[in-house]
Structures are given as C-alpha cells and as structure tokens.
C-alpha cells in the first residue's frame, strides 16, 4: 500500500477494523483494531498505522488465547524455570533433535529386520551403501519417510520407539513405509542404481504407505 496514491487507497474502502466469520454459525463479527476503529477510514496518512495495527491483531491478539493454552500445557510438562535455562536454538535441539548428516553407524546398530531380511542380506547391504551416498538433506528425507520425523532422537537411535525396521516387501513394488511402526518396506532390488533411484523417487514424493 505504501506505493499507492490517495485515490487508490480510498477505493479499497478499508477501516481500522477486521471482520471474522464463525465457521460453525456463519455469523460475522467485527473487531476494532483501535478504539472506535470501525469509524476510522484508512488513508495515505494513517496507512502505516493500519498495517501495524493489523499485524498486531493477527500475530498477537487473535492468537493470544491459543498461545496461552499452549504455554499452560507446556509448563504442565516442563516447569517454566527449567525452560529459562535454554535459548530458542537449544530448546529446539532438545525437542526436535539435531540437523545434519545422520549417524549411520548408530542407525545401523539399532535397526531390526523382518520377513526374510537380516543385517547381512545383500539387499540390506546395498541399502546401507545407497543411504551413505545420500546428501544430509536426502538422509533426513528418508528418515522422515520412514518415521515421520526428519531428525534423529536426541539421545540416539536406541531411543527410537519402535525401532527402525527394514521389512522385505513384494518384488516389483516401490519402497514404502509404515510410519506408525517406523518400518521401511523395501522390495528385493539387487541393483544399486535402481534401488537408489527408487528410494530418491519415493522420499521426494511426500508419500508413504500409499505407495503400497
């Protein structure tokens, strides 16, 4: 709006108020952004104040009830004095784990196998070679594809419950997953390049069990 002239701003017919619609009743309500805002028109002189008032409403006032409810729930689990020990980056690390390359040796030590696969199975060995060739971003995508979380547990994969599992699926199918049990359903593909291509395809498809 800052590049609009006075006439164009007037044509927008804006006021210092916002309208909300109740999705359950289809009833509309109007909220003033400033005292008596519904009677104050936006013009080229007060347009900056309107922008700030609008941002404050949507980013602070409108979400205040939800933010307070979230904070009460969080402090019920973790007392607020404990939270004050950490900055935002440290808190994100504690909750979400670390970013970057996966510790593949740790993941391998804490992986289980099913339906005919075992740690020395040729397909499993090819899979680990393929995973080692992935970029950190691709490794995170594969972890998200299998577990629904792109970051490893803070204390290592030994804390992942259920354990990461590689399950032999039917030949001729794409790799798929069951994120509820952290299971990668891997068909018996014996060609390195083909397995790599198919894994990259599925982890970039934003799909999981649907590929079954």
């Amino acid at each position: 709006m800052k590049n609009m002239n006075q006439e164009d701003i007037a044509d927008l017919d804006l006021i210092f108020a916002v309208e909300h619609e109740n999705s359950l009743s289809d009833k509309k309500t109007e909220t003033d952004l400033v005292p008596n805002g519904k009677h104050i028109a936006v013009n080229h002189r007060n347009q900056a104040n309107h922008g700030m008032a609008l941002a404050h409403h949507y980013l602070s006032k409108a979400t205040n009830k939800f933010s307070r409810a979230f904070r009460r729930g969080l402090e019920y689990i973790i007392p607020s004095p404990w939270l004050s020990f950490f900055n935002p980056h440290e808190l994100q690390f504690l909750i979400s784990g670390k970013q970057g390359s996966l510790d593949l040796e740790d993941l391998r030590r804490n992986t289980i196998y099913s339906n005919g696969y075992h740690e020395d199975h040729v397909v499993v060995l090819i899979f680990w070679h393929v995973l080692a060739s992935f970029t950190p971003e691709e490794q995170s995508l594969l972890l998200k594809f299998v577990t629904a979380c792109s970051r490893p547990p803070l204390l290592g994969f030994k804390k992942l419950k259920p354990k990461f599992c590689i399950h032999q699926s039917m030949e001729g199918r794409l790799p798929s997953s069951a994120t509820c049990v952290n299971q990668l359903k891997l068909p018996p593909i014996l060609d390195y390049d083909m397995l790599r291509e198919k894994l990259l395809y599925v982890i970039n498809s934003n799909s999981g069990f649907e590929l079954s």
Side-chain angles (χ1 to χ4, degrees):
M1 285 179 61
K2 66 180 181 180
N3 295 322
M4 298 174 67
N5 59 42
Q6 184 173 350
E7 290 74 19
D8 289 338
I9 293 175
D11 289 341
L12 294 176
D13 198 26
L14 296 175
I15 57 176
F16 276 75
V18 290
E19 192 176 75
H20 300 280
E21 184 174 329
N22 189 316
S23 58
L24 297 177
S25 64
D26 291 332
K27 191 175 182 180
K28 295 182 179 180
T29 58
E30 198 170 52
T31 303
D32 285 340
L33 298 176
V34 296
N36 204 34
K38 67 181 70 175
H39 300 297
I40 302 176
V42 177
N43 54 48
H44 72 285
R45 290 187 299 273
N46 62 20
Q47 61 175 335
N49 292 335
H50 176 262
M52 289 187 290
L54 198 62
H56 178 66
H57 172 77
Y58 282 114
L59 298 178
S60 181
K61 286 186 176 180
T63 60
N64 187 45
K65 180 174 67 173
F66 308 106
S67 299
R68 285 189 285 111
F70 175 81
R71 180 168 180 169
R72 284 197 305 270
L74 181 61
E75 291 179 346
Y76 178 79
I77 301 171
I78 308 174
S80 56
W82 294 6
L83 290 173
S84 65
F85 291 140
F86 307 101
N87 62 37
H89 176 75
E90 292 168 336
L91 188 60
Q92 182 186 38
F93 178 76
L94 286 171
I95 295 173
S96 305
K98 65 178 181 179
Q99 290 180 305
S101 299
L102 300 183
D103 185 341
L104 296 185
E105 288 303 315
D106 181 41
L107 176 58
R108 198 166 179 171
R109 283 193 303 268
N110 292 283
T111 294
I112 59 176
Y113 306 92
S114 64
N115 201 34
Y117 279 160
H118 52 81
E119 62 180 344
D120 295 318
H121 194 286
V122 61
V123 175
V124 170
L125 295 177
I126 294 173
F127 167 78
W128 290 117
H129 282 299
V130 168
L131 188 55
S133 75
F134 283 180
T135 65
E137 181 183 359
E138 290 167 345
Q139 291 177 0
S140 294
L141 284 173
L142 183 128
L143 185 63
K144 182 179 180 180
F145 178 75
V146 180
T147 69
C149 182
S150 61
R151 301 186 184 191
L154 177 63
L155 299 178
F157 285 103
K158 64 183 178 182
K159 294 298 183 181
L160 182 65
K161 305 295 181 183
K163 283 186 174 293
F164 190 95
C165 176
I166 301 178
H167 175 88
Q168 183 171 192
S169 62
M170 292 180 62
E171 189 173 356
R173 291 191 172 185
L174 286 170
S176 60
S177 65
T179 55
C180 55
V181 290
N182 299 330
Q183 184 182 84
L184 173 63
K185 299 177 181 179
L186 193 65
I189 300 172
L190 298 173
D191 182 79
Y192 173 93
D193 292 327
M194 183 179 293
L195 181 57
R196 191 176 194 278
E197 178 184 346
K198 289 184 180 297
L199 283 172
L200 285 173
Y201 173 78
V202 298
I203 66 177
N204 286 288
S205 68
N206 295 318
S207 300
F209 68 89
E210 306 99 297
L211 295 171
S212 303

